[in-house]
Amino acid sequence: KRALDKDSNSTATLCNYGLLMQAVKADFTAAQSLYERSLAVDPGHVPTLCNFAYLSATVQAYHQAESLLKRALASEPSHEFAAHFLGWVQNKTA
């Protein structure tokens, strides 16, 4: 949180703080807000897109997860996690 005080627009910090809120604190609302802030700064930030997709899948918002992962792959086509996870998410919506 202190890092955000120094640079409130750091995509890496927003993404990492979102992951902390998601994985450690189980505060999905805070995590979503942080991911959205990160993507407002850089809509193609692949780590944020992947983390937000994971959060979306966790709450069974599979179509949103799919959309986020497709955006990640548009930015970085060879991203292995995004490609693998997209297949898993698409299997859930089939």
Side-chain angles (χ1 to χ4, degrees):
K1 190 169 180 164
R2 285 182 282 159
L4 286 178
D5 292 337
K6 293 181 182 191
D7 183 1
S8 64
N9 290 323
S10 168
T11 54
T13 301
L14 289 163
C15 179
N16 289 336
Y17 193 31
L19 184 59
L20 171 76
M21 297 307 288
Q22 175 182 340
V24 177
K25 302 286 187 179
D27 187 342
F28 297 158
T29 302
Q32 179 175 337
S33 176
L34 290 159
Y35 294 147
E36 288 171 348
R37 283 177 55 194
S38 177
L39 293 174
V41 175
D42 180 358
H45 190 250
V46 174
T48 301
L49 290 164
C50 289
N51 287 351
F52 196 3
Y54 186 75
L55 171 64
S56 299
T58 299
V59 297
Q60 299 181 348
Y62 297 118
H63 292 291
Q64 179 176 359
E66 180 177 9
S67 174
L68 291 162
L69 291 165
K70 286 180 178 180
R71 285 173 53 192
L73 288 167
S75 291
E76 194 176 319
S78 62
H79 196 277
E80 289 183 31
F81 174 81
H84 174 77
F85 195 43
L86 177 60
W88 184 87
V89 167
Q90 288 175 328
N91 192 38
K92 287 289 193 180
T93 61

